Amino acid sequence: MASLSFGGHMPQSHHQFKKSSRRFLSQTQSLAPFGSSLRGFRGPRLLGNGMLVRAEEKGRGSGSGSGQLPKAQSQSEKELQELTPSSGSCDPLCSVDETSSSDFEASYKPKTDLLKAIAIFAAAATGTVAINHSWVAANQDVAMTLLFGIGYAGIIFEESLAFNKSGVGLIMAVCLWIVRSIGAPSTDIAVSELQHASAEVSEIVFFLLGAMTIVEIVDSHQGFKLVTDNITTRKPRTLLWVIGFVTFFLSSILDNLTSTIVMVSLLRKLVPPSDFRKLLGGVVVIAANAGGAWTPIGDVTTTMLWIHGQISTVETMKGLFIPAVVSLAVPLALLSLTSEASGDGPDTSNIMASEQMAPRGQLVFSVGIGALIFVPVFKSLTGLPPYMGMLLGLGVLWILTDAIHYGESERQRLKVPQALSRIDTQGALFFLGILLSVSSLEAAGILRELANYLDAHIPNIELIASSIGIVSAIIDNVPLVAAAMGMYDVASFPQDSEFWQLVAYCAGTGGSMLVIGSAAGVAFMGMEKVDFFWYFRKVSGFAFAGYAAGIAAYLAAQNLHISIPTTVAQVPFLSGS
C-alpha cells in the first residue's frame, strides 16, 4: 500500500529521480521536432505506470543513509533510458506495434483506417439484416451450416486474412446462437439450451485456465530444469530416442503445447542450428501429441472426452498406452535409419547451467506436478467435476508461492498474478468460441443428422474415428472432437467403448501429420522457423506411419484382449474415474 503513496513524504532519492527524469525527457523532446508531442506523452506515461513506483521502492529500500543516493539515482536514470523509446524502437506500452512513433506517423493513413472501419460496420449491418430475414427462420439448418462454414474458413485462413481465430470464433458462436434463437420454437427454449451448453463449456475453459496457470508458475521457477538437466547424451541416434520419450511422458502430465515449448527450448541448448535439430523438433511434435493422447489431462481433446464422460481415467490409460507408444516408436525407428541420425554428435557445451533455478523451484515443481496428477484422484474421491480439482490445485499453489515469496518484491513475476498475465488467454477464448459454436449445431439437431448420414454410408466405426484423425491434420481437432461428441452420445457408444478411445487416440496423434495440425506443431514452426513444406518432406511420412501403426496396435490389442498391466487399475478409488 505504501508503494502507491505519491504524497509529500517520498524519499529524497525519489525527488532527485524526478528532476533527472524531467531533464532527460526535455532533452529527448528537443531532438525530434516532428512527432515530439507523441514522444513527450509516452515518456511521462511510462513514469506514471512503472518507473515512479520502482524508484520509490528502491529509495525506500536504501534507507535514510545518503551514501546510497548517487547509486540509486544513476540506476533510476539508467532504467529510464532503457524504457524511454529511442529511434526505431517501441516501448511495451506503445500503441504502435513493432515500429517507432516517427515511422508510424510517416506511414499513417487516416483514410485507410476509416475505410476499414466503414467496411467492418457495413459487414456487421449486412449480417444483422441477413440474420433477421424470414428465410433464416424458415431454413435454420442451412443458415447455421453456412455461417459455421464461413466462420471456420476464417479460422483456417487466419494468417492470410490477418484476423485472429479467437475473435472469429467468438463472433461465430454468438451469431450461431442468434440464428438458433430465431429458429427455435421459442426464445425460452434457446436460452435453456444455451445455459446448458455454457455450463458444459465453462468446465473445460476453467480446467484449461487452471492447468495453464499451474504450468506457467512451474516454468517461471525454472522447475522443468529438473527434467532437462538430466539429458546429457550427445549421440544423435540416442538423443533421438531420449528426446522422444522424455517428451512423451512429459506431455502425458502437461499439455502437448507446453511440453513442446520446454523441449524445443532444451534442443537449442543441446544441438546447434542444423537440419538435425529441426528433425529433433519434429520428433518433439510427434512425441508430444502421442503422449497427450493416452492420459485425460495430456491433451485438450482427451480432457473434453473425459470431462463429459465418454472416457475414464484408468481404462483410457490402459487401452491407449500401447498404441501411443507404437505411434512414437515407429517414427523413431524409421528416423534412426536416416543419414541425419548417423555420425558423431554435436560438440557443444551445456549452457543451460548458466540458467539458475528460482528459489524453491524444486518445491514449486513438485507441488505443481502433484496438483495436476491429483485431479483424477479428486474426481474419483469427491465425484465433483475435474475443473474443481484443478482449481483446488491452483489455489494451493497460489497460497504456497505467496508464502515462500513473501516480502520479495523483486520476485513478483514468480507469483500467480503475474503468471495469469502470461498464459494463453486467447487460446482459452478460442476454445470457448468453438465449443459454443458446435453446441449450437448440436442444439439445432444438425450434428445428429450428420451422424445418421455417416452411419448410413460409413458403417465402420473404426473408419469414422480414423478419418477424424486424418482431418485433424488439416482442421483443428477441438471442433472435430466436439462435433463427434455432439453426433454420438453415450447411449450410442458407452463410456470407454472402442469408438471413444479411438477418437481420443486419432484426434490426439493425427495432428502430427502436418505441422499446422496441432498446437505443438504450430509452436515448433514458430520457434524454429520451420516452413510447412520442410515438415511435409522430412516428418509427415514418419508421422503417418506411426499414426497407422498405432491404430493397428489398438485394434490388435482389443482383439487379443491385451492391455498394460498396471497397479493403478487395482486402486479402488480410481476404478470408476
Side-chain angles (χ1 to χ4, degrees), residues 353-510:
S354 61
E355 300 178 359
Q356 297 298 322
M357 183 179 294
R360 280 81 73 181
Q362 294 184 3
L363 174 62
V364 173
F365 174 82
S366 301
V367 175
I369 299 301
L372 295 174
I373 297 175
F374 179 71
V375 172
V377 180
F378 175 88
K379 180 179 182 292
S380 299
L381 291 176
T382 64
L384 295 174
Y387 77 92
M388 293 297 291
M390 188 63 72
L391 295 180
L392 174 63
L394 176 59
V396 171
L397 194 59
W398 196 322
I399 298 299
L400 174 66
T401 52
D402 282 349
I404 63 179
H405 296 303
Y406 176 76
E408 300 175 350
S409 58
E410 71 278 6
R411 295 197 176 102
Q412 293 298 316
R413 66 178 184 83
L414 301 179
K415 294 185 178 181
V416 175
Q418 291 294 324
L420 287 170
S421 67
R422 296 191 299 267
I423 64 174
D424 185 18
T425 308
Q426 73 168 11
L429 290 175
F430 170 68
F431 294 140
L432 176 64
I434 285 294
L435 295 176
L436 283 177
S437 299
V438 173
S439 64
S440 69
L441 301 179
E442 180 183 1
I446 297 175
L447 297 184
R448 172 51 58 187
E449 294 178 5
L450 179 60
N452 294 335
Y453 176 84
L454 291 177
D455 288 338
H457 294 81
I458 310 177
N460 191 317
I461 61 172
E462 291 86 357
L463 190 58
I464 294 176
S466 301
S467 63
I468 290 176
I470 294 175
V471 175
S472 71
I474 305 172
I475 301 177
D476 194 280
N477 57 2
V478 172
L480 287 176
V481 173
M485 292 165 56
M487 290 188 295
Y488 304 99
D489 53 23
V490 181
S492 302
F493 298 103
Q495 186 184 59
D496 295 320
S497 64
E498 180 178 310
F499 175 74
W500 291 121
Q501 290 195 346
L502 267 179
V503 168
Y505 166 79
C506 294
T509 59

Side-chain angles (χ1 to χ4, degrees), residues 224-235 238-247 250 262-263 266-267 269-271 280 284 350 352:
F224 296 114
K225 280 176 61 63
L226 292 173
V227 177
T228 57
D229 280 354
N230 290 312
I231 301 178
T232 58
T233 181
R234 295 297 184 273
K235 296 180 179 179
T238 306
L239 192 61
L240 199 72
W241 287 85
V242 170
I243 291 293
F245 276 97
V246 168
T247 308
L250 190 65
V262 171
M263 296 306 295
L266 167 69
L267 291 179
K269 314 297 183 182
L270 298 177
V271 183
L280 286 174
V284 167
N350 187 8
M352 289 193 71

Side-chain angles (χ1 to χ4, degrees), residues 108-450:
Y108 177 58
K109 298 179 180 178
K111 292 183 179 180
T112 302
D113 286 353
L114 181 61
L115 291 175
K116 292 179 181 178
I118 293 175
I120 291 175
F121 282 114
T126 303
T128 302
V129 173
I131 285 178
N132 285 280
H133 196 277
S134 59
W135 179 86
V136 173
N139 300 272
Q140 174 189 253
D141 292 357
V142 178
M144 294 183 71
T145 303
L146 289 175
L147 189 57
F148 184 81
I150 293 172
Y152 205 76
I155 292 174
I156 294 175
F157 299 105
E158 66 165 335
E159 295 294 336
S160 302
L161 299 175
F163 294 139
N164 188 282
K165 64 180 181 181
S166 300
V168 176
L170 292 175
I171 294 175
M172 178 175 65
V174 174
C175 292
L176 283 171
W177 276 105
I178 291 175
V179 174
R180 174 55 186 160
S181 67
I182 295 174
S186 67
T187 304
D188 293 337
I189 293 178
V191 170
S192 177
E193 292 171 343
L194 177 58
Q195 290 175 341
H196 177 72
S198 299
E200 293 184 346
V201 171
S202 63
E203 291 187 12
I204 299 175
V205 174
F206 288 150
F207 184 94
L208 291 175
L209 289 174
M212 288 189 295
T213 307
I214 290 175
V215 171
E216 179 59 39
I217 295 170
V218 175
D219 187 46
S220 65
H221 285 78
Q222 294 291 329
F224 296 114
K225 280 176 61 63
L226 292 173
V227 177
T228 57
D229 280 354
N230 290 312
I231 301 178
T232 58
T233 181
R234 295 297 184 273
K235 296 180 179 179
R237 187 172 285 106
T238 306
L239 192 61
L240 199 72
W241 287 85
V242 170
I243 291 293
F245 276 97
V246 168
T247 308
F248 178 84
F249 288 105
L250 190 65
S251 180
S252 66
I253 302 174
L254 310 178
D255 62 282
N256 51 9
L257 174 60
T258 303
S259 302
T260 301
I261 294 173
V262 171
M263 296 306 295
V264 171
S265 299
L266 167 69
L267 291 179
R268 293 178 174 179
K269 314 297 183 182
L270 298 177
V271 183
S274 61
D275 277 350
F276 179 61
R277 191 171 85 177
K278 292 181 180 180
L279 200 63
L280 286 174
V283 169
V284 167
V285 173
I286 296 174
N289 289 329
W294 67 280
T295 64
I297 61 174
D299 186 86
V300 64
T301 52
T302 53
T303 299
M304 290 165 53
L305 293 168
W306 177 51
I307 288 177
H308 286 88
Q310 278 83 3
I311 60 176
S312 64
T313 303
V314 174
E315 291 301 320
T316 300
M317 295 173 67
K318 290 173 59 178
L320 296 184
F321 178 76
I322 293 177
V325 170
V326 170
S327 70
L328 174 61
V330 169
L332 289 178
L334 295 176
L335 285 168
S336 298
L337 303 176
T338 61
S339 59
E340 288 89 347
S342 60
D344 297 329
D347 184 14
T348 59
S349 58
N350 187 8
I351 61 176
M352 289 193 71
S354 61
E355 300 178 359
Q356 297 298 322
M357 183 179 294
R360 280 81 73 181
Q362 294 184 3
L363 174 62
V364 173
F365 174 82
S366 301
V367 175
I369 299 301
L372 295 174
I373 297 175
F374 179 71
V375 172
V377 180
F378 175 88
K379 180 179 182 292
S380 299
L381 291 176
T382 64
L384 295 174
Y387 77 92
M388 293 297 291
M390 188 63 72
L391 295 180
L392 174 63
L394 176 59
V396 171
L397 194 59
W398 196 322
I399 298 299
L400 174 66
T401 52
D402 282 349
I404 63 179
H405 296 303
Y406 176 76
E408 300 175 350
S409 58
E410 71 278 6
R411 295 197 176 102
Q412 293 298 316
R413 66 178 184 83
L414 301 179
K415 294 185 178 181
V416 175
Q418 291 294 324
L420 287 170
S421 67
R422 296 191 299 267
I423 64 174
D424 185 18
T425 308
Q426 73 168 11
L429 290 175
F430 170 68
F431 294 140
L432 176 64
I434 285 294
L435 295 176
L436 283 177
S437 299
V438 173
S439 64
S440 69
L441 301 179
E442 180 183 1
I446 297 175
L447 297 184
R448 172 51 58 187
E449 294 178 5
L450 179 60

